Amino acid sequence: MPGPVLIAPDKFKGSLTAPEVAAAVATGLRRARPEVEVRSAPVADGGDGTVQAAVAGGYVPIPVRVAGPVGEPVDTEIAVFDDTAVVELASASGLALLDPDELAPLAASSEGTGEAILAALDAGARTVVLGVGGSACTDGGAGMLTVLGARVLDAAEHPLPPGGGPLSRVASVDLSGLDPRLAETEVILASDVDNPLLGERGAAHVYGPQKGADPDQVRFLDDALANWSRAVLAAGGRDVAEQPGAGAAGGVGYGALAVLGARMRPGVDVVLELIDFDRQLAGAGLVIIGEGSIDEQTLHGKGPAGVAARARAAGVPVVAIAGRSELSPERLREAGIEAVYTLTDIEPDPQRCIREAATLLPELAERIAVEHLKS
């Protein structure tokens, strides 16, 4: 009998969460081969779904109400195990929390992320994993740091309002009021983004347009972030504006690196450690990875690529399941993926694939069972 099957997908964006994908695939495998042991290890890369992956791996969810990207209350959660907490920016300050007509490129803030970090400290965390990605803001982490006790002041020493736009008026930053618990807390910045804070590859130029910024606003925000970084440096922050990852999440990466002393690590590696992936991989006969679209971006720091690399190193074969795939068989093999099974193989209508993924995925899983789980 073949060894256990480890199902380790990322989310199918706009359709199913990673745990939902794993459950649907498990249903199909058990339908076809009820005697095979099935293990589930949903993954993420530091963006949305990171807390869900931690919870699926045994972390305890703690509900938190925070200020959303434009100040509206948002119900989210952090995940805690012993003295480690996982905080996900996307669920507190994320672009997905806003409707397209609500985008606020100059005013959106990371305050809610700061509130989630405070909740983690209140829960006793001494290690905070900060998963960044999918942010609505370009505020350099100023909102997050303000909630944590920093003061961001204009020339008259008045506190500035939230958002990236007001950073053009920063005259000084006072870090003396930061929560003292932060000095005893390790912050791990989980991200697959290697952009610096400023310039053509920086937070404003690369990610500002998707947050609603027009070309003039992009330039304005880049200048505002430069002003912000000068003020942070003058206040005793670290000189990290050019460091890879400083541009993550509209510069929240910069705020974490410069002021919180964060250590940046690839998001998928952090998540795989959180869920004790290597233990679950031990003895497996097959690993099934997946996400909504398998493409070149998948192979650059995304969850499925990280899982495939771990499995290949352990000598365990890997197949992928996806909504669609844009990679050639040769490119897949180079990444350690033997084959990819897509919803578009069985349903040509992409919209139906998105709507009905939960009922279509078991059918694909049955195909995998027939073709890869030989008795």
Side-chain angles (χ1 to χ4, degrees):
M1 189 174 75
V5 179
L6 178 58
I7 310 169
D10 206 331
K11 63 188 174 297
F12 277 36
K13 193 169 184 177
S15 181
L16 298 176
T17 66
E20 289 169 341
V21 173
V25 173
T27 295
L29 292 177
R30 293 189 175 109
R31 203 153 62 196
R33 295 293 300 275
E35 75 281 8
V36 174
E37 179 187 347
V38 176
R39 301 173 182 171
S40 179
V43 302
D45 58 14
D48 54 316
T50 296
V51 163
Q52 287 179 332
V55 170
Y59 277 61
V60 177
I62 296 179
V64 182
R65 173 164 282 195
V66 302
V70 292
E72 78 293 358
V74 170
D75 290 315
T76 183
E77 60 186 21
I78 62 174
V80 177
F81 184 80
D82 289 339
D83 64 352
T84 298
V86 182
V87 173
E88 179 185 306
L89 177 144
S91 66
S93 311
L95 190 63
L97 298 173
L98 300 178
D99 291 332
D101 60 353
E102 293 179 314
L103 301 183
L106 301 183
S109 169
S110 58
E111 288 179 320
T113 300
E115 291 173 334
I117 293 173
L118 278 183
L121 297 177
D122 290 344
R126 288 299 171 262
T127 298
V128 174
V129 175
L130 176 57
V132 295
S135 75
C137 59
T138 309
D139 74 344
M144 171 185 72
L145 295 173
T146 298
V147 169
L148 294 174
R151 299 180 71 218
V152 182
L153 307 170
D154 64 16
E157 298 192 352
H158 296 144
L160 287 171
L167 297 180
S168 64
R169 297 185 280 115
V170 174
S172 64
V173 176
D174 180 1
L175 301 177
S176 64
L178 282 174
D179 192 307
R181 294 174 294 181
L182 290 167
E184 302 172 355
T185 302
E186 179 185 22
V187 178
I188 298 172
L189 184 67
S191 174
D192 63 347
V193 169
D194 62 0
N195 303 78
L197 179 66
L198 307 172
E200 293 298 321
R201 292 191 60 250
H205 280 277
V206 175
Y207 302 107
Q210 71 189 39
K211 302 171 188 183
D214 62 31
D216 288 339
Q217 290 173 323
V218 164
R219 289 187 290 271
F220 179 78
L221 285 167
D222 190 58
D223 289 342
L225 289 173
N227 191 44
W228 164 240
S229 67
R230 287 190 292 269
V232 169
L233 190 60
R238 295 164 178 83
D239 187 6
V240 295
E242 296 183 8
Q243 182 173 321
V252 170
Y254 170 78
L257 293 165
V259 177
L260 303 184
R263 179 166 58 96
M264 182 173 164
R265 296 189 57 211
V268 63
D269 289 350
V270 174
V271 171
L272 293 181
E273 289 179 14
L274 289 174
I275 66 175
D276 201 2
F277 179 82
D278 290 341
R279 178 184 60 81
Q280 300 190 67
L281 179 64
L286 179 69
V287 172
I288 300 176
I289 64 173
E291 69 175 342
S293 177
I294 300 284
D295 51 34
E296 277 296 328
Q297 192 175 10
T298 301
L299 305 183
H300 297 282
K302 296 298 184 182
V307 172
R310 293 282 183 102
R312 179 169 54 180
V316 182
V318 177
V319 297
I321 199 162
R324 64 178 184 178
S325 175
E326 299 178 1
L327 298 180
S328 67
E330 294 76 19
R331 193 74 179 96
L332 289 165
R333 283 193 293 271
E334 290 173 4
I337 302 168
E338 291 189 358
V340 61
Y341 294 76
T342 69
L343 296 181
T344 53
D345 292 338
I346 57 176
E347 173 50 61
D349 180 359
Q351 291 306 310
R352 184 170 176 238
C353 289
I354 294 171
R355 288 194 312 270
E356 302 180 25
T359 56
L360 294 170
L361 280 171
E363 184 177 339
L364 281 185
E366 288 186 63
R367 291 189 181 186
I368 292 174
V370 169
E371 296 178 16
H372 292 272
L373 301 180
K374 310 297 183 183
S375 299

